[in-house]
Amino acid sequence: GAGVSQSPRYKVAKRGQDVALRCDPISGHVSLFWYQQALGQGPEFLTYFQNEAQLDKSGLPSDRFFAERPEGSVSTLKIQRTQQEDSAVYLCASSSDSLSYNEQFFGPGTRLTVL
Amino acid sequence: SQQGEEDPQALSIQEGENATMNCSYKTSINNLQWYRQNSGRGLVHLILIRSNEREKHSGRLRVTLDTSKKSSSLLITASRAADTASYFCATDAGGATNKLIFGTGTLLAVQP
């Protein structure tokens, strides 16, 4: 596609519900990143994939957060038993080359509100 | 936790004026980037400056980097109402992942 797409754009969940957020990166991009952006803050790194391999998950805030990219393309971020503090915008980004720095292209984000 | 601190937190100027935003960071970097985020839109990459560069230009944007002070500045000249957005600096964390560490952001409002 022309850019990184994410779905849904908005998600409202009741506390304790599980949610799944989808990211479609730019076709052919090797690297995929998930970030969490709280209101009024800059994005914070959650996890990184190189193709299907999850090479860094140091930013995941708890074991309720899980991400996968099984075929090295689409990625899903799953949050189990959502809490109010999980309310944020979840941004996905992709870049073309894992060997040297390349620009990260961001999707529009999914705004998650946990009631 | 976020590495960068930006100032000012908010800036309001008139169209045609210049806007300067500053960013400080904590650790050694490979490069520093500036992003813009409009309301309701994703982050858009503006410019990247490598650690061995001191100044870079792109259109109406001018970025400086002082690695000895661990600081950078973004200058937008001849601002337009369409420049109204939040601006973030981001540094790479080194290592194998190229993950970005973002600052706290500056909210710029350009009054027509």
Side-chain angles (χ1 to χ4, degrees), chain A residues 9 33 35 37 40-45 48 50 55-56 58 91 97-101 103-104 106-108, chain B residues 1-2 31 33 35 37 40-45 48 50 88 92 96-105:
Chain A
R9 291 292 310 277
F33 304 81
Y35 294 85
Q37 186 174 22
Q41 299 293 314
E44 293 204 11
F45 170 79
Y48 163 72
Q50 181 180 320
L55 299 185
D56 188 341
S58 61
L91 296 166
D97 189 344
S98 64
L99 297 178
S100 62
Y101 183 75
E103 175 185 343
Q104 291 186 24
F106 282 81
Chain B
S1 62
Q2 297 186 281
N31 61 68
Q33 300 163 60
Y35 282 80
Q37 187 175 43
R41 297 183 61 184
L43 285 156
V44 175
H45 181 267
L48 179 152
R50 300 194 185 281
F88 296 92
D92 71 50
T97 68
N98 294 326
K99 64 186 177 187
L100 294 175
I101 308 297
F102 284 84
T104 51

Side-chain angles (χ1 to χ4, degrees), chain A residues 37-43 91 111, chain B residues 2 6 8-11 19 21 33-46 61 74 76 80-90 102-110:
Chain A
Q37 186 174 22
L39 186 64
Q41 299 293 314
L91 296 166
R111 181 177 297 277
Chain B
Q2 297 186 281
E6 292 175 63
Q9 288 188 326
L11 178 62
M21 289 160 268
Q33 300 163 60
W34 285 89
Y35 282 80
R36 180 183 67 214
Q37 187 175 43
N38 293 326
S39 175
R41 297 183 61 184
L43 285 156
V44 175
H45 181 267
L46 295 176
L61 306 180
L74 171 67
I76 305 174
R80 306 167 182 169
D83 295 330
T84 294
S86 290
Y87 290 82
F88 296 92
C89 66
F102 284 84
T104 51
T106 293
L107 178 59
L108 173 66
V110 181

